Amino acid sequence: MKKVAIIGAGISGLYLANVFNNNPEFDYRVFEKREDFNFSKGYGIQLSVNSIKLLNKIGFKNLPASEVFFPSKVNFIQSNNSKKICDIDLNQFNDNLNRYTTTKRSTLLKFLSKNIPNNKIKFNKTLNHLDYADDIKAYFSDKSQENFDIIVIADGVFSKSKFIISKESLKPEYNNSVALRGILKKYQDNNISIFMGSNFHYVVYPVNQNNEYNFVAILQKKLTNSDLNNEKIFQSKDFINSLMKILNNNSSVNLQNLTEIQAFPIFVSKSFPVTNKKNIFFSGDALFSFPPSFAQGASQSIETAQEIFESIISNSDNLYKERISRIYSINWRSKLNIFTFHLSNPINIFIRNIILKYLSKNKIFLKNYLGKIYKN
Ligand SMILES: Cc1cc2nc3c(=O)[nH]c(=O)nc-3n(C[C@H](O)[C@H](O)[C@H](O)COP(=O)(O)OP(=O)(O)OC[C@H]3O[C@@H](n4cnc5c(N)ncnc54)[C@H](O)[C@@H]3O)c2cc1C
């Protein structure tokens, strides 16, 4: 029986724990920095069919229908006048069993944690050091130590554990943008709507069948290092209000009903962690974190975790070759999306809207730009 340590009980780590849980050849443990799961926030997550296919295999399809939503379109809307430019039909990427899904992040995490026995998850623990011999000796923050055959690093975008393995400078970079998240009630829309403004965009979508909507805005914002190191800035009412003012002044949607608003800086990866150790893997945002404009971070975290499992089972070396090429294709799409959504010059906006109208109905483009990513 192989012993596996998964560092981080987020989307990637917990998905992988489920896969190991269904496979008695492995004895796994999940080590999580927090003292418990954080199910309190109601923010949303979009899951495209590539990850839904994998999630359904571990029982996601059995969740009560009221806790998920299946949007059928993505609407592109000009923020200042709420004029719809075009839409993309998401049904073309679905099949009979797997559909593009939106839900609450907490619903996904509750689902992923439900089948993991309590004794398999160790809270309040971080990795301090590794020693390599026949197996890998892991030393933890509470001074405990344990031997493992395989270590999977899945501790998110600010992964500290990857520095223990890959000594290079792998710090994520500030993406010159800030995210605002909130819950929108008293709103009516059965689709995902992307509102495009000058140097910002925001996305609204239902997260369940109870009229709760996720709101997420990405606004360009230059910040100094000292701002970025000061968490209090992002919690301050003045900072949040100044961002909301930009949105309210440039949007014809009533955002007054927005609750639970939170601001945080967006950090993205510039490079990949490397190791010559065969039994060490990086998954999810710890491997690579994208700008959040293609809604693929969580889906890719799930895909990577699945590929890590398959690579362990088949003893293959191909994991990162294929993964890195997929990461490149998602990363440039995410950057192109942000550029397109945030245009501010009226002539550029006019041209963009014509191009969007054309491309949103062009089957070949959609197959290449979205289909390639959604159908893994
Ligand atoms: C504004 C925004 C909107 C997004 N929307 C979407 C979307 O709609 N669809 C989508 O697919 N993706 C989306 N994403 C991306 C997605 O949220 C992430 O890619 C995904 O959560 C990454 O999963 P993960 O498991 O790698 O990391 P996480 O989910 O961040 O989990 C990491 C876990 O590791 C723990 N941890 C941290 N440090 C340590 C340590 N040293 N030791 C032990 N444990 C540790 C953390 O507490 C956490 O539990 C969005 C991202 C942002 C910023």
Side-chain angles (χ1 to χ4, degrees):
M1 189 180 280
K2 287 207 159 118
K3 268 197 87 179
V4 185
I6 300 171
I7 315 295
I11 294 171
S12 199
L14 286 177
Y15 173 81
L16 190 57
N18 275 269
V19 178
F20 283 128
N21 208 43
N22 293 340
N23 202 309
E25 274 175 51
F26 294 92
D27 177 21
Y28 71 91
R29 300 276 180 285
V30 184
F31 298 92
E32 165 60 43
K33 179 174 82 170
R34 290 177 204 255
E35 58 190 35
D36 205 344
F37 293 114
N38 182 4
F39 296 144
S40 61
K41 295 278 181 264
Y43 304 127
I45 194 131
Q46 302 181 43
L47 296 161
S48 47
V49 278
N50 43 327
S51 59
I52 285 294
K53 249 184 233 165
L54 299 172
L55 287 170
N56 281 346
K57 283 189 190 149
I58 59 164
F60 192 74
K61 58 179 181 288
N62 302 325
L63 275 185
S66 58
E67 290 189 29
V68 294
F69 200 92
F70 304 116
S72 49
K73 279 182 189 169
V74 179
N75 294 320
F76 294 86
I77 298 169
Q78 199 148 315
S79 171
N80 56 356
N81 57 14
S82 287
K83 225 170 114 186
K84 179 166 153 181
I85 300 156
C86 60
D87 60 59
I88 291 177
D89 180 4
L90 287 171
N91 293 320
Q92 63 191 301
F93 306 110
N94 295 345
D95 57 42
N96 291 342
L97 300 174
N98 307 294
R99 288 191 276 170
Y100 199 105
T101 305
T102 53
T103 188
K104 284 187 179 178
R105 204 170 266 267
S106 55
T107 305
L108 175 63
L109 284 171
K110 273 184 205 161
F111 161 76
L112 289 173
S113 58
K114 145 177 105 55
N115 290 327
I116 310 299
N118 285 343
N119 65 335
K120 297 279 187 187
I121 300 203
K122 310 288 175 198
F123 289 103
N124 283 318
K125 271 199 171 196
T126 58
L127 185 65
N128 274 0
H129 177 68
L130 294 174
D131 268 346
Y132 306 93
D134 287 345
D135 51 9
I136 306 165
K137 189 173 271 187
Y139 298 82
F140 293 96
S141 46
D142 61 353
K143 310 269 182 269
S144 62
Q145 63 179 66
E146 234 176 299
N147 286 21
F148 294 96
D149 299 297
I150 295 162
I151 307 268
V152 181
I153 305 295
D155 54 354
V157 56
F158 300 110
S159 173
K160 292 241 162 46
S161 312
K162 68 181 173 190
F163 290 109
I164 294 169
I165 292 135
S166 190
K167 307 283 178 209
E168 289 156 65
S169 165
L170 293 167
K171 276 196 176 160
E173 264 182 20
Y174 177 55
N175 195 38
N176 286 322
S177 52
V178 174
L180 272 184
R181 270 181 175 158
I183 306 292
L184 200 55
K185 292 189 178 160
K186 296 188 187 157
Y187 185 81
Q188 281 293 313
D189 191 353
N190 281 343
N191 297 306
I192 299 168
S193 289
I194 301 177
F195 293 83
M196 299 181 289
S198 168
N199 296 323
F200 74 83
H201 77 281
Y202 63 89
V203 186
V204 181
Y205 56 85
V207 287
N208 52 30
Q209 312 282 341
N210 308 322
N211 283 326
E212 288 180 277
Y213 290 82
N214 182 70
F215 169 91
V216 56
I218 309 292
L219 300 100
Q220 284 176 31
K221 184 130 191 94
K222 293 244 186 292
L223 290 171
T224 62
N225 279 341
S226 77
D227 291 339
L228 291 169
N229 289 328
N230 182 0
E231 269 184 36
K232 284 193 183 137
I233 288 192
F234 298 95
Q235 289 153 8
S236 94
K237 278 207 167 123
D238 285 349
F239 183 75
I240 292 178
N241 288 343
S242 70
L243 298 176
M244 282 308 299
K245 200 170 160 197
I246 298 174
L247 297 180
N248 280 319
N249 288 347
N250 295 286
S251 168
S252 49
V253 172
N254 180 2
L255 299 175
Q256 305 305 325
N257 292 325
L258 204 56
T259 58
E260 299 180 40
I261 309 175
Q262 259 193 358
F264 53 93
I266 303 281
F267 282 83
V268 295
S269 299
K270 288 289 157 205
S271 57
F272 307 96
V274 279
T275 174
N276 53 7
K277 306 272 186 308
K278 200 163 186 266
N279 290 337
I280 307 247
F281 298 89
F282 301 95
S283 192
D285 281 4
L287 174 63
F288 199 89
S289 177
F290 304 97
S293 45
F294 200 65
Q296 272 297 306
S299 290
Q300 290 308 307
S301 299
I302 291 167
E303 260 188 32
T304 312
Q306 176 68 27
E307 285 171 14
I308 288 173
F309 175 73
E310 284 165 13
S311 160
I312 292 169
I313 290 280
S314 64
N315 207 14
S316 143
D317 281 336
N318 278 338
L319 169 70
Y320 291 114
K321 267 185 228 145
E322 284 161 25
R323 184 74 343 236
I324 285 171
S325 101
R326 195 150 163 83
I327 285 173
Y328 275 128
S329 41
I330 291 163
N331 202 34
W332 74 253
R333 283 169 172 79
S334 306
K335 287 180 180 170
L336 180 61
N337 280 5
I338 286 263
F339 172 79
T340 312
F341 297 165
H342 288 198
L343 289 177
S344 49
N345 176 305
I347 297 169
N348 292 343
I349 290 175
F350 178 76
I351 297 169
R352 172 197 67 194
N353 293 355
I354 293 175
I355 296 175
L356 269 182
K357 265 186 203 157
Y358 170 74
L359 291 179
S360 62
K361 301 296 166 214
N362 183 306
K363 294 261 179 238
I364 296 171
F365 167 78
L366 292 174
K367 201 173 151 199
N368 279 305
Y369 196 73
L370 298 177
K372 256 191 192 165
I373 306 300
Y374 294 166
K375 293 195 172 180
N376 60 336

